């Protein structure tokens, strides 16, 4: 007699996340997930109840991973503007090429539609901005909300890169952030 396959929720959510990243959020169905993780559709319905809850749990799992990665990177960097650049470049390396980035925007759309997921995004923004701001603590009179300014510049740079992705995203982001930091530190040095 064969024993039924068992998969932890984390394993199932990883399979669901792969489906979303490879084929878009609408590709996440119980049938496709059953094939991807080796469990029956009935077992998945029993665990996750409905497609909306499955999608939310999957995207919360993705936020958990991003939170962990951001905390680890923020702990390991030197608290300097160069460390802030290092943090954001490291976060940018997970985007891959233009197709992967474009699919990621569809995932972001799902995050924006769900208040629970939006709240996770807001919490991540607050943590990231504080970590970035701490990297400017030794700079005389940094701009107010420098962490938010840098995070906003980073996100804008990702968008501008996506319109003309002729170089690797991390290279583009590092160059853009270096110019941003140069402008910030030059402006701070000019103040009397």
């Amino acid at each position: 007699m064969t024993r039924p396959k068992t998969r932890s929720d984390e394993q199932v959510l990883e399979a669901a996340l792969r489906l979303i990243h490879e084929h878009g959020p609408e590709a996440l169905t119980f049938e496709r997930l059953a094939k991807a993780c080796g469990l029956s559709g009935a077992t998945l319905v029993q665990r996750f109840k409905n497609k909306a809850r499955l999608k939310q749990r999957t995207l919360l799992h993705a936020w958990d991973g991003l939170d962990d990665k951001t905390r680890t990177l923020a702990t390991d960097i030197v608290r300097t503007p160069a460390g802030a650049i290092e943090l954001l470049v490291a976060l940018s390396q997970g985007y891959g090429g233009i197709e992967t980035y474009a699919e990621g925007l569809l995932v972001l759309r799902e995050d924006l539609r769900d208040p629970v997921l939006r709240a996770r995004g807001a919490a991540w923004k607050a943590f990231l901005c504080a970590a970035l701001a701490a990297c400017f603590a030794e700079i005389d009179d940094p701009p107010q909300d420098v962490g938010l300014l840098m995070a906003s510049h980073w996100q804008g740079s990702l968008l501008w890169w996506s319109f003309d992705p002729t170089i690797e995203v991390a290279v583009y982001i590092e160059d853009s952030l270096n110019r941003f930091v140069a402008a910030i530190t030059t402006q701070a040095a000019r103040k009397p």
Side-chain angles (χ1 to χ4, degrees), residues 18-96:
R18 277 191 303 279
L19 277 174
I20 286 175
H21 281 293
E22 291 170 10
H23 306 288
E26 298 310 313
L28 182 58
T29 64
F30 285 113
E31 181 181 348
R32 283 183 115 172
L33 183 55
K35 288 177 185 171
C37 73
L39 295 177
S40 72
T43 298
L44 294 171
V45 169
Q46 193 173 25
R47 275 194 199 184
F48 298 103
K49 308 299 181 226
N50 58 50
K51 184 178 175 180
R53 182 174 157 94
L54 171 63
K55 188 184 296 183
Q56 184 185 64
R57 290 270 315 272
T58 301
L59 296 177
L60 286 170
H61 177 72
W63 276 112
D64 290 344
L66 182 58
D67 286 343
D68 290 346
K69 182 177 182 179
T70 304
R71 279 184 187 12
T72 299
L73 290 167
T75 300
D76 293 345
I77 61 165
V78 178
R79 302 287 184 273
T80 63
I85 292 170
E86 180 185 335
L87 168 61
L88 294 175
V89 168
L91 287 174
S92 301
Q93 290 172 343
Y95 287 112

Side-chain angles (χ1 to χ4, degrees), residues 96-119:
I98 186 60
E99 292 302 320
T100 305
Y101 180 75
E103 289 299 322
L105 292 176
L106 292 175
V107 175
L108 180 60
R109 179 189 69 180
E110 298 303 316
D111 287 330
L112 296 174
R113 289 177 169 176
D114 183 323
V116 172
L117 297 169
R118 266 198 322 269

Side-chain angles (χ1 to χ4, degrees), residues 2 7 43 68 72 83 96 115 136 138 144 150 174 176 190:
T2 26
R7 300 279 187 265
T43 298
D68 290 346
T72 299
F136 288 84
E138 300 298 317
Q144 183 177 354
M150 189 169 192
E174 186 171 13
S176 183
R190 287 186 187 157

Side-chain angles (χ1 to χ4, degrees), residues 129-130 132-134 136-137 139-152 180 184-185 187-188 191:
C129 291
L132 294 171
F136 288 84
I139 303 297
D140 289 333
D141 199 24
Q144 183 177 354
D145 293 327
V146 69
L148 177 60
L149 291 171
M150 189 169 192
S152 298
F180 173 84
I184 294 293
T185 55
Q187 183 66 20
K191 288 185 179 179

